[in-house]
Amino acid sequence: MSKINMNHFNKAYIAIVLAFILALAAYDISYSKTNAETETTTNQPTDTKTTEESGSSDDEEKAEARKAELAETITTPVASNATTDEEASRMAEFSADYADDIQSYSVKDIATNVAATLELDETAAMAQLLTDLPKEVDVDSAQYQLVNKLNPLLTEPVMDFAYANSGKEYNAAITDAYTALIDAAASAGYTLSTISAHRTIAYQAQNVENGFQDYLAQGYSESEARDLTNAYFAPAEASEHSTGLAFDWLGTEWTGISGSLDEAYADQPSAQWLSENAQDYGFILRYPQGKEQVTGYSFEPWHYRYVGVEAAQYIAQYEITLEEFLALVNYQTALAEEGLA
């Protein structure tokens, strides 16, 4: 009887020990699994990094969207010579009469046109335009003053005068630039005659009337004469000759055969020299062919305007106008002010 009870005891003891061992094993497995999961979680990239990357991506998208918005809303200047709202309103009334002659183009439009010329996509063209654009341009400087049918003058600009080889007066501030260009042309074999330089607003008003009467005398109807006058004669308040920075130049090889201010002058050697070299002395061909709706005037191969060497070379490089240059400068300024440059 005692032997039987001992066997039962041994079996019970063994069962208890086995149960304990199994419990320890189960705990160890559970502990190991928990540690493994913890290590895996610890070694994985944190949610903070993902959040930062997402936030950075959102910021970049917002910045690009804002740049695109500015490129569509910043245009070639309008009423830039106004100092008050009242003056801007008067200029708007003036410009309304020339709505068919001149348009305002956005920075996006400018980039699109340059992209086509350079055979680039628009994004690449915009990047190149901004990279090469002269920095820290003071648009309030006299050399950048814009005068056209969207930006008329209300008062006469004040300046000191110097005198061209023909006796015509111009803004004395650019004497060195004028002299350098005339001398360089002479060294290349071309004598440039200054047909016109500074004009007062009153003088330009008479000039416009004379032009209109001349077209009538040539047999044009009043309507035709007015259209021709608008195409080639700036309204009294919208002539940049009033700045003293604009010149009408003709080579003596052209005037010597009775050539006048005519588009045909473009084929003359002196006109081609000007087109290729004027920018190196700070002058631009002010009214290029194909830009009539930007400038408001027909192609004038004789009309040059001083803007400074850096701006002139940039304008010539990208085949744009003063209007477009100023729009790009204003865009660059807006980007910098908003921390988007």
Side-chain angles (χ1 to χ4, degrees):
M1 182 70 181
S2 172
K3 185 176 181 178
I4 293 174
N5 288 340
M6 183 60 68
N7 286 340
H8 281 300
F9 173 79
N10 288 340
K11 288 179 181 179
Y13 176 79
I14 291 170
I16 290 170
V17 171
L18 286 174
F20 179 75
I21 291 172
L22 288 173
L24 285 176
Y27 174 81
D28 185 64
I29 291 170
S30 176
Y31 180 81
S32 298
K33 183 177 179 181
T34 300
N35 279 350
E37 289 175 351
T38 301
E39 289 176 4
T40 300
T41 302
T42 302
N43 291 331
Q44 284 180 346
T46 63
D47 288 340
T48 300
K49 186 176 180 181
T50 303
T51 302
E52 289 176 352
E53 290 175 348
S54 176
S56 176
S57 177
D58 288 344
D59 289 343
E60 289 176 2
E61 288 180 5
K62 288 179 181 178
E64 291 305 313
R66 180 57 178 158
K67 288 180 182 179
E69 180 183 8
L70 289 171
E72 291 184 351
T73 55
I74 294 176
T75 67
T76 49
V78 175
S80 60
N81 296 311
T83 58
T84 66
D85 289 342
E86 181 183 352
E87 289 181 352
S89 178
R90 287 168 58 191
M91 289 183 186
E93 290 180 12
F94 172 91
S95 299
D97 291 336
Y98 304 98
D100 294 335
D101 299 340
I102 186 170
Q103 296 177 12
S104 186
Y105 288 82
S106 70
V107 169
K108 184 179 187 302
D109 294 329
I110 296 167
T112 298
N113 292 335
V114 170
T117 300
L118 299 182
E119 298 182 350
L120 297 172
D121 65 62
E122 190 176 309
T123 301
M126 180 70 84
Q128 188 169 318
L129 281 167
L130 293 180
T131 297
D132 293 343
L133 187 66
K135 303 301 185 286
E136 298 181 0
V137 174
D138 179 7
V139 294
D140 293 325
S141 173
Q143 72 188 56
Y144 301 120
Q145 184 173 22
L146 183 62
V147 182
N148 63 23
K149 294 170 183 175
L150 292 179
N151 299 272
L153 294 168
L154 294 178
T155 59
E156 294 278 1
V158 177
M159 72 199 78
D160 293 325
F161 293 113
Y163 295 88
N165 49 14
S166 62
K168 301 293 184 182
E169 61 187 23
Y170 66 91
N171 194 321
I174 62 167
T175 300
D176 290 345
Y178 166 83
T179 303
L181 182 140
I182 295 297
D183 289 349
S187 295
Y190 307 111
T191 300
L192 296 175
S193 179
T194 301
I195 306 303
S196 184
H198 173 261
R199 300 176 194 156
T200 64
I201 292 176
Y203 180 95
Q204 183 62 14
Q206 187 59 55
N207 198 38
V208 170
E209 181 60 25
N210 292 344
F212 175 66
Q213 293 299 329
D214 185 52
Y215 286 127
L216 288 177
Q218 293 177 46
Y220 291 101
S221 68
E222 276 200 28
S223 175
E224 292 170 334
R226 186 60 64 195
D227 288 342
L228 285 168
T229 302
N230 285 341
Y232 290 103
F233 290 82
E237 303 89 342
S239 171
E240 69 174 13
H241 278 287
S242 295
T243 66
L245 303 174
F247 297 82
D248 291 341
W249 283 318
L250 292 177
T252 53
E253 86 278 11
W254 180 243
T255 58
I257 58 173
S258 301
S260 60
L261 301 178
D262 187 282
E263 286 188 18
Y265 175 57
D267 296 326
Q268 294 298 308
S270 60
Q272 292 170 5
W273 183 90
L274 275 169
S275 178
E276 294 169 4
N277 296 279
Q279 66 269 17
D280 295 332
Y281 302 92
F283 293 88
I284 57 171
L285 175 64
R286 185 63 182 88
Y287 305 128
Q289 201 159 28
K291 294 287 189 176
E292 291 81 2
Q293 285 297 308
V294 181
T295 64
Y297 299 108
S298 295
F299 173 45
E300 295 187 1
W302 59 84
H303 186 112
Y304 282 79
R305 157 71 190 266
Y306 181 80
V307 295
V309 173
E310 194 175 17
Q313 290 178 337
Y314 179 88
I315 287 169
Q317 176 185 354
Y318 287 104
E319 299 179 8
I320 59 175
T321 64
L322 178 58
E323 286 84 357
E324 293 166 306
F325 172 77
L326 292 173
L328 289 167
V329 169
N330 289 337
Y331 179 63
Q332 181 188 62
T333 301
L335 293 181
E337 288 176 347
E338 295 195 21
L340 300 171

